């Protein structure tokens, strides 16, 4: 069974994503916003895909505040973790945000919140898992 790591600081969003992915997608889910834990999970290959919130209010790495863009850059620049698909999830859905966030971060995909079409959400995520 494939495992999705949800990096999200809003507990409600994390629970909603988790429920959709397990019930509709038949996927296993882990959740954390602790950056050290995200890196450890990625390095130990415990996640097949990472759903990364762009705006993380409380995340700190090596003493510095970081957002989902920075965490994605850290993971994509590490040879141990750069192959894991990372999908940015954000409420920032203005024109140009998608391209800007993807180019800045090196992420593989982008989903805007709120997630309204649950089946499309699962399908979008599974499309990245099938590329393995």
């Amino acid at each position: 069974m494939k495992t999705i790591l949800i990096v999200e600081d809003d507990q409600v969003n994390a629970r909603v994503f988790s429920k959709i992915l397990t019930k509709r997608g038949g996927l296993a889910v882990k959740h954390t916003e602790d950056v050290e834990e995200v890196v450890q999970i990625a390095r130990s290959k415990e996640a097949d895909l990472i759903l990364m919130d762009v705006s993380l209010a409380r995340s700190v790495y090596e003493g510095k505040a970081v957002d989902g863009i920075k965490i994605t850059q850290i993971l994509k620049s590490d040879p141990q973790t750069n192959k894991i698909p990372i999908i940015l999830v954000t409420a920032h859905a203005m024109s140009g945000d998608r391209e800007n966030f993807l180019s800045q971060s090196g992420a593989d995909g982008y989903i805007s919140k709120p997630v309204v079409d649950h089946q499309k959400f699962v399908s979008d995520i599974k499309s990245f898992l099938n590329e393995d």
Side-chain angles (χ1 to χ4, degrees):
M1 180 184 289
K2 299 284 187 177
T3 300
I4 309 302
L5 173 60
I6 300 171
V7 183
E8 169 68 70
D9 60 357
D10 181 307
Q11 294 303 317
V12 173
N13 281 337
R15 274 198 296 277
V16 168
F17 294 162
S18 185
K19 192 166 273 184
I20 295 169
L21 293 170
T22 55
K23 298 262 190 284
R24 285 197 183 233
L27 298 160
V29 172
K30 290 178 185 265
H31 168 249
T32 186
E33 60 181 291
D34 179 297
V35 186
E36 302 282 344
E37 194 177 353
V38 170
V39 172
Q40 184 270 316
I41 288 169
R43 284 192 176 142
S44 61
K45 309 280 187 248
E46 293 174 51
D48 298 292
L49 182 141
I50 299 172
L51 275 184
M52 181 73 67
D53 184 17
V54 170
S55 306
L56 295 165
R58 299 177 293 275
S59 293
V60 175
Y61 187 66
E62 296 176 346
K64 296 187 200 82
V66 292
D67 61 9
I69 301 291
K70 183 65 186 160
I71 299 167
T72 302
Q73 290 169 344
I74 291 165
L75 294 171
K76 288 299 186 180
S77 66
D78 182 337
Q80 280 187 279
T81 58
N82 65 7
K83 300 272 188 280
I84 301 170
I86 300 176
I87 300 176
L88 299 176
V89 186
T90 181
H92 299 284
M94 302 295 288
S95 176
D97 280 350
R98 175 191 183 93
E99 296 74 17
N100 187 20
F101 288 144
L102 287 172
S103 69
Q104 269 183 42
S105 66
D108 302 280
Y110 176 101
I111 295 173
S112 59
K113 292 190 271 193
V115 170
V116 181
D117 185 338
H118 295 181
Q119 200 53 56
K120 182 178 183 332
F121 178 68
V122 169
S123 297
D124 288 349
I125 289 166
K126 284 191 165 182
S127 73
F128 286 96
L129 293 171
N130 294 335
E131 291 173 1
D132 297 343

